[in-house]
Amino acid sequence: MAGIAPVSCGDETVAGLVEVPIAELMLMFRRYGPSDEQCRLKRVKPPGSKTWLKVTDPPDGLPIRSSDLLLAAGPLQQFEEDRDLLRRPASNTGANPRYDWDAMYAWLTKYIFDKGVPDSQTAMIALVQEWFVQNSRSGEVPDESTIRKRLTGLWRKLKGEEPVG
């Protein structure tokens, strides 16, 4: 695409953002040897149009430089998504965690907000173990002692046995 000053295309005047044909730009982007600094557009396509319009004035075409060219955001984003160019590298370099503790803590927080603190630590551990059974992608579930180690500090804070903070 390019932003152009008014040009005549037969009886029609075209200006502003237009699509430009890549074939007419190739002289500026040669793979081998020197490239031209500018070329002349003989055709343009206004936004929403399906047909190319022939530039009639200036009669030898509209001069354009590579610095005049723009990329439309939509097709560029689609190109990047199709080639997975937008994926950010993982911030950690270690192995993926075996269990999704973050998702479990989010669920447990909502559970406690909606239904209150379970009657006992054993009841809370059973709830969490059941959550892992229902939500494990790999089918693996942490054992009771692993869950107990993760939840003991939280349980004590919920029961007021440890200061929060």
Side-chain angles (χ1 to χ4, degrees), residues 19-50:
E19 194 171 331
V20 295
I22 190 67
E24 294 179 18
L25 304 174
M26 293 306 294
L27 296 175
M28 293 189 297
F29 301 101
R30 291 190 180 117
R31 286 193 249 172
Y32 302 102
S35 296
D36 294 350
E37 289 188 29
Q38 76 174 20
C39 64
R40 295 201 165 271
L41 289 177
K42 306 278 188 193
R43 299 175 297 149
V44 294
K45 189 185 329 179
S49 176
K50 293 185 179 185

Side-chain angles (χ1 to χ4, degrees), residues 3-16 18 40-46 53-59 61-63:
I4 63 169
V7 296
S8 294
C9 297
D11 294 336
E12 193 173 339
T13 300
V14 177
V18 295
R40 295 201 165 271
L41 289 177
K42 306 278 188 193
R43 299 175 297 149
V44 294
K45 189 185 329 179
L53 301 177
K54 183 179 179 190
V55 175
T56 55
D57 188 23
L62 177 66

Side-chain angles (χ1 to χ4, degrees), residues 107-130:
W107 169 82
L108 184 57
T109 300
K110 178 146 177 35
Y111 178 92
I112 291 171
F113 180 80
D114 291 343
K115 298 181 181 178
V117 177
D119 293 333
S120 67
Q121 184 177 6
T122 303
M124 187 164 76
I125 290 168
L127 285 169
V128 168
Q129 200 163 32
E130 181 59 29

Side-chain angles (χ1 to χ4, degrees), residues 1-164:
M1 304 201 71
I4 63 169
V7 296
S8 294
C9 297
D11 294 336
E12 193 173 339
T13 300
V14 177
L17 196 59
V18 295
E19 194 171 331
V20 295
I22 190 67
E24 294 179 18
L25 304 174
M26 293 306 294
L27 296 175
M28 293 189 297
F29 301 101
R30 291 190 180 117
R31 286 193 249 172
Y32 302 102
S35 296
D36 294 350
E37 289 188 29
Q38 76 174 20
C39 64
R40 295 201 165 271
L41 289 177
K42 306 278 188 193
R43 299 175 297 149
V44 294
K45 189 185 329 179
S49 176
K50 293 185 179 185
T51 58
W52 291 99
L53 301 177
K54 183 179 179 190
V55 175
T56 55
D57 188 23
D60 56 344
L62 177 66
I64 191 165
R65 296 180 176 278
S66 62
S67 58
D68 297 328
L69 300 175
L70 306 167
L71 292 173
L76 176 62
Q77 184 174 4
Q78 187 63 50
F79 175 87
E80 291 172 338
E81 287 174 3
D82 291 347
R83 286 151 185 84
D84 204 19
L85 300 176
L86 299 176
R87 185 187 64 214
R88 295 185 182 266
S91 60
N92 62 352
T93 56
N96 287 336
R98 191 170 182 181
Y99 308 111
D100 193 353
W101 294 104
D102 290 339
M104 181 280 298
Y105 282 122
W107 169 82
L108 184 57
T109 300
K110 178 146 177 35
Y111 178 92
I112 291 171
F113 180 80
D114 291 343
K115 298 181 181 178
V117 177
D119 293 333
S120 67
Q121 184 177 6
T122 303
M124 187 164 76
I125 290 168
L127 285 169
V128 168
Q129 200 163 32
E130 181 59 29
W131 182 88
F132 276 112
V133 167
Q134 298 297 320
N135 295 284
S136 173
R137 291 186 188 130
S138 66
E140 292 187 55
V141 175
D143 59 61
E144 184 179 326
S145 66
T146 301
I147 296 171
R148 182 177 303 280
K149 287 176 192 172
R150 292 277 186 144
L151 296 182
T152 295
L154 173 62
W155 177 256
R156 287 183 181 153
K157 284 180 178 32
L158 289 171
K159 288 301 182 179
E161 297 169 13
E162 278 186 18
V164 177

